[in-house]
Amino acid sequence: MAGPRVRLVVTADDFGYCPRRDEGIVEAFLAGTVTSVSLLVNGAAAESAAELARRHSIPTGLHANLSEGRPVGPARQGASSLLSREGFFLGKMGFREAVAAGDVALPQVREELEAQLSRFRELLGRDPTHVDGHQHVHVLPGVCQVFAESLQAYGVRFTRLPLERGVSGCAWLEDPARAFACTVERDARAAMGPFSRHGLWWTDAFVGLSTCGRHMSAHRVLGALARALEGIPAGHALTAELMAHPGYPSVPPAGGCGEGPDAFSCSWERLHELRVLTAPTLRAQLAQDGVQLCTLDDLDSKRPREPLQ
């Protein structure tokens, strides 16, 4: 990848989902590829994951969750627009549909986000390095404003902007996955305004929508980075984030966020991602192309800016 100098943060999502996923995430961190993790504080293994983060000094952020499992905030006590009659979040698409219909009370979103931020502090004894959203809920219309306000109030400055250049043209993605990625991108563009107004930062480029699960390979990761950086002058310093979901697959009933592990976490694709991330090929090719793996704290510059188009 000739051209700009790139510093890449590799974030493993769903830390705390189950011990098997966490075991794989720690392996990828110790192998030197994963440089950051995002913790689900309502995950079944959140407490043991926090202990792993302390033991191995893993840079850890909050994976804000409004779509899977049980809440940690006041919604636990009774009826809430965030929950089904059974007391669980509405699901990946159910939450989106409720937000689009105007059925979600944003003050209840704020309460849950603040409860998760407080729970993170209880578990780790410090603030998160960053906050992103489980299933990208943090960029949804309306939710993104409350999200930005809550992070500003808690002094958190770094988030994720899931805007991957060229994902709509990735022919290997199945139609539903491509459609979801394009919807996430649309929401992320609209979220830039609220994020910037509340002083949030994000990397110059993001990849991970086109390389999730079975689609992850060293070749495709490098290709996604190349698309993101196309046209950037040589010598220009840029930052990027690779989102990943590695781990040993969950085995029911262990794991999840209160209602057992989902098919995504039980899939062999989690192990595939782990193998790609821990094999020497990816790290060697990144180094060959001048990409430096780093943590958020390593980044030279953290300021709001336009994403690469």
Side-chain angles (χ1 to χ4, degrees):
M1 189 186 307
R5 294 178 289 110
V6 181
R7 290 185 142 191
L8 177 67
V9 175
V10 181
T11 306
D13 287 358
D14 302 340
F15 199 47
Y17 195 87
C18 82
R20 286 176 54 82
R21 291 285 303 281
D22 295 346
E23 180 184 354
I25 289 171
V26 171
E27 283 188 21
F29 174 77
L30 295 177
T33 308
V34 163
T35 63
S36 173
V37 300
S38 292
L39 175 69
L40 287 161
V41 296
N42 72 332
E47 292 188 6
S48 59
E51 173 57 32
L52 288 170
R54 288 191 297 269
R55 183 188 311 164
H56 298 289
S57 300
I58 304 174
T60 305
L62 171 64
H63 206 38
N65 185 2
L66 300 170
S67 56
E68 182 179 357
R70 293 192 182 277
V72 301
R76 293 180 301 171
Q77 308 305 320
S80 169
S81 66
L82 304 180
L83 306 180
S84 67
R85 292 180 179 178
E86 293 74 28
F88 297 111
F89 286 133
L90 301 172
K92 176 180 175 179
M93 301 311 297
F95 181 67
R96 283 172 162 76
E97 292 165 2
V99 168
D103 293 336
V104 171
L106 293 178
Q108 294 175 345
V109 170
R110 185 188 309 276
E111 288 179 340
E112 180 61 25
L113 287 173
E114 292 177 350
Q116 292 188 21
L117 284 159
S118 295
R119 179 59 176 154
F120 185 98
R121 285 176 172 172
E122 292 174 3
L123 288 168
L124 274 297
R126 59 166 178 79
D127 289 330
T129 58
H130 63 279
V131 183
D132 52 36
H134 186 50
Q135 299 170 340
H136 309 293
V137 295
H138 67 304
V139 297
L140 289 173
V143 174
C144 65
Q145 176 71 28
V146 174
F147 176 84
E149 292 170 358
S150 298
L151 266 60
Q152 184 179 49
Y154 272 74
V156 179
R157 302 297 301 278
F158 212 97
T159 189
R160 170 186 293 164
L161 193 73
L163 190 55
E164 181 176 338
R165 188 176 186 179
V167 72
S168 62
C170 295
W172 58 86
L173 291 177
E174 298 83 358
D175 288 343
R178 188 185 303 110
F180 180 72
C182 291
T183 299
V184 169
E185 283 203 304
R186 180 200 66 203
D187 292 338
R189 290 184 190 279
M192 288 174 60
F195 286 2
S196 294
R197 287 193 293 272
H198 291 279
L200 297 185
W201 300 323
W202 53 86
T203 55
D204 297 305
F206 167 84
V207 297
L209 294 172
S210 69
T211 60
C212 186
R214 73 188 70 188
H215 303 303
M216 180 176 279
S217 67
H219 174 74
R220 282 190 174 146
V221 168
L222 270 293
L225 283 171
R227 288 193 304 275
L229 304 173
E230 186 177 349
I232 305 302
H236 193 73
L238 292 172
T239 62
E241 180 188 14
L242 168 63
M243 173 188 69
H245 300 84
Y248 293 101
S250 300
V251 178
C257 298
E259 48 188 339
D262 62 8
F264 181 90
S265 192
C266 295
S267 171
W268 63 269
E269 296 184 47
R270 308 286 68 76
L271 181 59
H272 173 75
E273 289 198 31
L274 176 61
R275 287 173 172 163
V276 172
L277 292 169
T278 54
T281 305
L282 176 59
R283 293 194 303 279
Q285 291 189 8
L286 288 170
Q288 182 178 340
D289 285 354
V291 177
Q292 178 185 351
L293 293 170
C294 67
T295 68
L296 293 176
D297 288 339
D298 295 330
L299 300 184
D300 289 331
S301 177
K302 300 178 183 179
R303 64 180 185 274
R305 65 193 79 185
E306 292 292 317
L308 303 176
Q309 301 297 314

